[in-house]
Amino acid sequence: MDCFVGFAHDSATAILRRPVTYTTSRTYRNGGLKLRAKLVEENDPLLQSALDSASLRFRETHRPEPLFVDPYAGCFVAPNAQMDMKQASDHYCLATKFIDDKLLRTVNHIDGLKQVVLLTDGMDTRPYRLSWPTSTIIFNISPERVFKRAAEKLQGVGAKIPRSCVSLHVPLESSNLQQSLRAKGFNGNRPSIWAMQGLPVMTLATFEDILLTVSGSAMNGCFFLGELPAWLAETEIGIKTSARKWMEKLFMNNGFRVDMICYEEVARSLGKDLASGSYKNILFSAEQLRFSDDQMETWRKEFQRAEEEGDEEGFEEL
């Protein structure tokens, strides 16, 4: 059974192009700034991809028996948007439900797990809409300009992070994501869970950098799950039938044991029909097999201290 299918809408991946900014020497007395802003937004692939995903969550929320409820997706959607509420569940919404459930099950059943890292398109509403345990710290890695626009919209509708929890933004544009996470308070000596959905990925090398960041930050035994673009596998191997082996090799090279999750099986487990049509992503769940950089550094210091104490004891005996 295929765990991903052909290619059409890609709500989790934006093809990065330089945004086109329209300028004009003509002076508009009314609405000139609004027109310019609209033209810029329409030519911003990161923003448009995030809006497309928000529209899917909005539609799912208003279905008779929704997979999940996103009360904030509507603040991103145009008031006159037309949506077919009778359509079968699409891959993106099934993946969203899978990730939601995995996140909440994990944070509620692993002692000391207070760090959640979301790699997103900037309009992910999980920090607001999910019931996080007390003292959860949510790190949101996403494009800064999309995140800022989303934050303004969410503030406008009164969205609040659950009480006693904290949400911190880490710009995707940071030169060193691992250092930026540490600067925000992330601790690689403590448990964490990582979820990726919507993060813009330009190349295979970009995703390998993400894997390297997660591998260096997450403690042994932590989970990394989400969606990645299927074209990454095709770029590397050219044929979809080998995607599983390609995934296993790529993740294992970075210290993870990975499973590909079939959208059809997720739909069946939820008693839902999967919408026909093509999709561009692979759903996955991986477990960290290595020790984080912080763990290794802690043990290095402990070993060094033990050696120094041993040398001092030996000197005293002499």
Side-chain angles (χ1 to χ4, degrees):
M1 179 182 297
D2 289 339
C3 294
F4 64 99
V5 291
F7 305 146
H9 167 67
D10 183 5
S11 56
T13 306
I15 299 174
L16 300 186
R17 298 186 298 271
R18 185 174 181 177
V20 178
T21 303
Y22 290 86
T23 59
T24 177
S25 58
R26 184 176 301 175
T27 301
Y28 292 91
R29 294 184 180 275
N30 295 308
L33 292 177
K34 291 183 179 179
L35 175 61
R36 179 189 171 98
K38 183 177 180 181
L39 290 172
V40 172
E41 289 174 6
E42 288 177 349
N43 289 275
D44 185 339
L46 299 186
L47 179 60
Q48 191 56 55
S49 179
L51 289 171
D52 290 345
S53 295
S55 297
L56 292 176
R57 298 197 304 274
F58 179 77
R59 185 188 69 186
E60 183 64 34
T61 295
H62 289 84
R63 287 160 55 89
E65 296 180 0
L67 289 166
F68 56 84
V69 173
D70 185 345
Y72 305 113
C75 73
F76 306 127
V77 179
N80 58 350
Q82 300 294 320
M83 300 184 183
D84 181 7
M85 302 301 176
K86 296 182 179 179
Q87 183 176 336
S89 299
D90 63 79
H91 297 75
Y92 170 79
C93 289
L94 285 166
T96 300
K97 172 66 173 174
F98 174 84
I99 295 169
D100 287 356
D101 289 351
K102 180 73 171 178
L103 283 170
L104 292 179
R105 279 198 308 269
T106 304
V107 298
N108 281 298
H109 289 89
I110 296 181
D111 291 338
L113 202 171
K114 300 295 183 181
Q115 299 182 121
V116 177
V117 184
L118 304 177
L119 301 105
T120 77
D121 56 22
M123 288 189 178
D124 193 300
T125 57
R126 288 186 175 96
Y128 302 90
R129 65 180 177 81
L130 295 186
S131 299
W132 300 106
T134 300
S135 302
T136 299
I137 304 173
I138 305 159
F139 300 90
N140 187 335
I141 300 175
S142 59
E144 187 166 26
R145 65 180 181 272
V146 180
F147 176 84
K148 285 183 175 180
R149 175 181 169 83
E152 291 174 359
K153 293 283 189 180
L154 290 165
Q155 184 178 9
V157 297
K160 300 289 185 182
I161 304 297
R163 198 170 183 177
S164 76
C165 296
V166 177
S167 181
L168 303 169
H169 182 242
V170 178
L172 178 62
E173 298 83 359
S174 301
S175 59
N176 188 316
L177 284 175
Q178 192 169 354
Q179 288 183 3
S180 296
L181 279 167
R182 285 200 187 105
K184 292 285 186 176
F186 182 87
N187 190 335
N189 282 311
R190 296 175 183 172
S192 59
I193 184 168
W194 301 62
M196 173 176 163
Q197 189 179 34
L199 188 78
V201 177
M202 292 184 292
T203 63
L204 177 59
T206 302
F207 182 67
E208 288 176 333
D209 287 342
I210 295 297
L211 269 178
L212 189 63
T213 297
V214 182
S215 179
S217 304
M219 281 182 62
N220 175 260
C222 291
F223 291 101
F224 178 33
L225 65 147
E227 289 187 297
L228 60 84
W231 60 259
L232 291 177
E234 294 204 329
T235 299
E236 182 73 7
I237 60 177
I239 51 175
K240 289 181 286 187
T241 54
S242 301
R244 185 181 299 276
K245 291 183 179 179
W246 173 82
M247 285 269 293
E248 289 173 351
K249 180 180 179 182
L250 176 64
F251 275 76
M252 186 57 72
N253 285 343
N254 288 276
F256 290 94
R257 177 173 55 240
V258 67
D259 292 317
M260 288 178 61
I261 310 299
C262 292
Y263 292 92
E264 293 88 346
E265 293 179 4
V266 175
R268 189 161 48 249
S269 70
L270 296 169
K272 298 290 184 178
D273 294 325
L274 183 62
S276 58
S278 54
Y279 194 58
K280 288 186 178 181
N281 300 311
I282 301 173
L283 185 60
F284 70 91
S285 179
E287 181 181 359
Q288 165 76 300
L289 303 179
R290 295 177 180 171
F291 298 105
S292 70
D293 292 348
D294 285 350
Q295 285 181 297
M296 296 298 293
E297 179 61 16
T298 298
W299 290 335
R300 185 193 67 78
K301 291 179 179 179
E302 286 295 316
F303 182 74
Q304 183 179 11
R305 182 184 61 81
E307 279 194 326
E308 291 173 352
E309 290 178 354
D311 290 342
E312 291 177 359
E313 291 175 0
F315 181 76
E316 290 175 358
E317 290 176 1
L318 291 173

